[in-house]
């Protein structure tokens, strides 16, 4: 990743509500975008550190995918 343009090739999504409508509150969108950019930078730094320490890139990516898949929604419906 270029240090000059840390988010090159990365675009934040149009944030949507569960009904498919876009989130319209500009402050909410701003917070969501900032959070995503921070998460991306942290993940990028962790990937670079792991690769420099000799770890397998495919394994690191798999661990990241697994981590995201196992995030819990504390506000979701309980089954």
């Amino acid at each position: 990743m270029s240090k000059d343009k840390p988010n090159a090739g990365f675009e934040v999504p149009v944030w949507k509500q569960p009904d498919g409508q876009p989130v319209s509150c500009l402050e909410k969108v701003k917070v969501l975008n900032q959070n995503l950019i921070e998460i991306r930078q942290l993940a990028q730094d962790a990937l670079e550190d792991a690769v420099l320490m000799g770890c397998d890139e495919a394994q690191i990516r798999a661990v990241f995918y697994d981590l995201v898949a196992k995030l819990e929604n504390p506000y979701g419906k309980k089954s």
Side-chain angles (χ1 to χ4, degrees):
M1 181 166 75
S2 169
K3 298 292 182 189
D4 296 333
K5 296 181 182 178
N7 293 310
F10 174 74
E11 294 182 29
V12 294
V14 173
W15 298 104
K16 296 185 179 183
Q17 301 174 67
D19 65 3
Q21 294 295 314
V23 173
S24 60
C25 174
L26 295 179
E27 284 303 311
K28 289 179 182 179
V29 170
K30 181 179 175 182
V31 169
L32 291 166
N33 290 345
Q34 287 174 338
N35 286 346
L36 188 61
I37 290 167
E38 288 175 19
I39 291 166
R40 183 179 188 276
Q41 186 59 57
L42 184 60
Q44 180 67 47
D45 292 345
L47 175 69
E48 290 174 13
D49 288 347
V51 170
L52 286 172
M53 289 186 274
C55 295
D56 177 58
E57 180 180 345
Q59 180 189 19
I60 298 159
R61 291 179 183 275
V63 169
F64 288 172
Y65 289 129
D66 188 51
L67 180 138
V68 170
K70 291 180 179 173
L71 291 175
E72 295 181 20
N73 174 0
Y75 309 108
K77 295 179 182 178
K78 306 285 184 203
S79 41

